Amino acid sequence: MTEIADFDALREAMAENSGQPEGPARNARAEELLTAAEKLGVPLAVIEALGHQLKVYNYSSEKGKMFVPFARLLRMWDERPEDFDEYETHSLHWVFKWVSAGMLDQPHIPLASIEKWLGEMEHRYRLAGHSERAVRSAEHSVAAHVGDVARAERAYAAWLAADRDTMADCHACELHGQGWWQAELGRDAEALRLWGPVLEGEYACAHEPHTALASSLVPLLRLGRLDEARANHLRGFRLVRAMESMRGAYAEHVEFCALTGNEARGLELLAERPAYFTDDGHPQSRLEFMSVVALLMDRLTGLGLGERQVPGPAGREWTARELAAHARGEALALAARFDERNGTAHVSERARARMARQPLAERLPLGVRSVRPAAPPVPPAAPVHATGQPDLPALLAEARRLSDTLRPNAVEAWAAAAEAAADTELDPRDRAEMADHEAMSLGPGGTGLFERAADLYAEAGDPGEALAARARGAYVRALAGDVDGAVAAVTGLYDEIIALYAAEGTGMRQTASVVMSRARILTRRAHEGEGDRAALAEAEAAVREVLALVAGRTGEDVRLAARVAEAQAMLGELAGLAGDLERAAELFARGAAAFVAAGLPWYAVEYEARLATLAHHLGDAAKTERALRAALEHGGAHLEAPGRAQLYLQLAEVVAGRGDAVEAARHALEAAHWADEAGESATLGAWARQQLGGFLLRQGRWAEAAEVLESALPDLTAETHGDGAVVQTQWWLGDCLSELGEHRAAAERRLQAAETARHWPEQHDHATLAHLAGESLGQAGLPVEADRAYARAGDLWRALGDTPGLIRSLRARAWLALETEGGPAEARALMADAIEAGEAAREEASDEESRQRMVAELGHTHRQFADLLTRSVSEGAEGPAVRAVFEEALSRLQRAAEVFASLGEGALHSRTGAELGAGWLEIELDRPAAARARARTVLAAYEGYEGHDDAGTDAATEGDGEGRSTVGARRAEAEHMLRVASGD
């Protein structure tokens, strides 16, 4: 331990320790500092060290250690209150609340002792002149904990009725406690109303909105407000992740995962905090944590995953089933200890109810990567005979119904029938259809089975269906790459079916099947011919032959109606090959509509997706959007996960293109979810998450966007997604982290992105990212590193000929110089360089717009130069040297005002700001008359402006961080200056 030589060093060490992460290490350091304080022989030093120890214990998993230092503090107060200064006197009374709450959370402390302590707190608060508000809040906690609803309601009413004073919890904590009670009573809407100001950021503290976000999750789910629940989970978990003392709030996030079909994410959360399984310094939060562990493990077991390995207490491996039993036992044992202390069954009842909760959403996509654990497949229930054996006739009838009407899952139905008929003698027709559909399921590997089916159809006396099966086999050959062989095979089959149909030896359905197979094969050859006109013409003739054969003769036969629809779409395919994209789009739309009209909307999806691609290529965004929406609607539950993910992602991009980031985010969220379901998390899923993060960022939802982008980044690679996507993700993430105040992390992301962008031919992104990294490093308190980043950006801006960027980097470096070894001298030199660059660019400007932009930058640089000069003066410094600096600053402000004046009305606010700054310097220089003159100049500049509304955007301030000024604010400051300069 570093030697603590005096009280100031002790205070500095305690302040440094307060900034460390919560946990045992910080607590141990506080104990060391108390030992050091005791050696100083200063009572107040010991008091402050005890208070520091209390604080770090309270904000850790070792809350049970609070009682000893507090008892010592209280004894010191009773013996020598004069040793406490005003702040420590307030702190002593403040932590009464921590200790009373801490006693409730420790089942070994008798209830009688807690009630006695409550009376002691009330007595001491009354002596100190404090309101009873905090006392009644503490009483409410005691009554709620033991399940005494009547007393809790009385205390709640008294809590709200009492005056707020300096002992009352902050607004955020009070609102959380009040909302918690309403939710406990089942009044979810009222709870969320109370939490509203905290959730919206109006009130905050060290642990809020962290706890309110966590507490809101189940009430939001119960009310069906799923989007808000998702958002609060992403925001809230980010806040509690690093805070060791927030095990109870952490548990609520695990519970949310268990109740929304996000079991895999729940397991990830458990894996992040292994110590939470065993930390025993705060039994109440351990009870809450183990209760939701049991809930999550029961959920996994119910999904058939009881034998899956899961994170659990260290020292052994755990299955979900084993951990469920262990967690339930631990939770109920803890609950029983509380109940024994309290003389009620309330804590156990709450724990059992929590562990028995049922899911509130089957699957709530979160946007972050988390694939649902795959449960063992459960085969569909097959019809069974009274004997208990599968009902084969029923299975055959169902399979035939599905295939005759082109329903989805027909192939699976035939497979089920084939399995049931394994040892049964079947007629050739049944065996033919089974072989036919099994061949369909095998794709290019089904050629031999199609031949087997054809033989069985022939044996069954159906030569037409035999030809159709062989034609399907020929098409499979084409798909496998043997197009010429397929053409030769289908040509003979075509001749045979036409002759057979003419002789009335087969029906329309079988004939259409062979004719369609021929058209498909010839279309395949047209694809391979890459636009060969002869191949295209032959394929188109074959497709039109399908239409000539079937159109107008479909009747109620959906198979024939499907032939017509497919033929229309195939003509579209051929038109696209010929380069007639508008005609192709029209025919795809016609084919899709025909499928829908036939009652087969799931077949329309492929062609609506193609239509969307063509419409996008043709620049018709509205048609693209309509086609994508139709594809999703028509695919319904039958659309496979990869296709659904692709469609949602395309729709997100189209919707974003018309400026609707909110709807675009919803579609990107769905895309990410379905990509995960498809097993494409690392490819399509990462891209969807990247887009989702961008859409959330556009809405200012920084914490949610950061969670999603951080989830996407590990899967994004230059090889798969392109280095542009990787850089954009890091850039967006840096923006989010900057908005969240995580400046060091923001700098790391921006520097990573800049490192990639430095290798690009165009260097503007590299320059921008280096500049942004400088901003983040400066805000993170790393001025030397920030200066290096700004210098790098400045060199790039200079090379790019971007003088405004160069000037801003020089100004930023000038400000940083005040914090580094360079000091005021280097700061002046850098500002002078910025002035020189601005004046040169103004003279060299190629057009009036560029010139005015440079003039504005020059004005801002003069203004900032003046501010830098005044801030370089040490506080309280006087004398001629200081006066000279103020005079120089005044001349800079005068120059800034002149420069802004040359820009006319568009720079009015910037000009008056410079005038007011100059006026205050005139007062510092003891020239009140000059200050009054400047104030009157500002007031005159705003004559004619009505009211105090925004006078419009000041073009000269745009992009320089100064924002908008209002007429009212400028007038008020000028009038105040007049009074000050007049001695009033």
Side-chain angles (χ1 to χ4, degrees), residues 770 785-797 806 809-810 813:
E785 293 83 350
D787 181 73
R788 280 202 296 268
Y790 278 126
R792 174 181 174 184
D795 291 342
L796 291 164
W797 292 131
L806 171 62
S809 67
L810 289 167
R813 293 183 65 199

Side-chain angles (χ1 to χ4, degrees), residues 526-536 577-578:
H527 271 282
E528 293 196 348
E530 297 182 356
D532 178 82
R533 290 189 178 183
L536 284 170
L577 287 173

